[in-house]
Amino acid sequence: MTRRLVLTNEAARHPMRRALPPPPAPRPAKNGDQDVKLFLLSFAAFFTCFYTFLF
C-alpha cells in the first residue's frame, strides 16, 4: 500500500488546525552544572542531618 506525501500535521483532525504550521521543536535542555548542584545540595543536606544527630 503506497501512501501519499503528507504536508500537513496528521495529528490535527480539524481542518482549521491542519492549516496551522507544526509546533516548533523543543530546545534541548542545558544541564551543564545541574548534576554538580544537585550533588552539593544532597551532600550538604546529609551532612547537616548527620551532624545534627551526632551532637
Side-chain angles (χ1 to χ4, degrees):
M1 181 167 137
T2 60
R3 199 173 155 177
R4 294 185 299 150
L5 176 64
V6 178
L7 297 176
T8 60
N9 188 359
E10 288 184 333
R13 301 286 182 204
H14 194 275
M16 200 169 200
R17 292 183 95 187
R18 284 186 191 170
L20 295 173
R27 294 182 183 173
K30 295 181 180 178
N31 292 339
D33 59 347
Q34 181 115 11
D35 292 337
V36 175
K37 287 180 182 178
L38 181 62
F39 172 75
L40 291 176
L41 180 67
S42 301
F43 182 80
F46 176 77
F47 181 77
T48 303
C49 290
F50 189 72
Y51 188 77
T52 303
F53 287 132
L54 276 181
F55 297 107

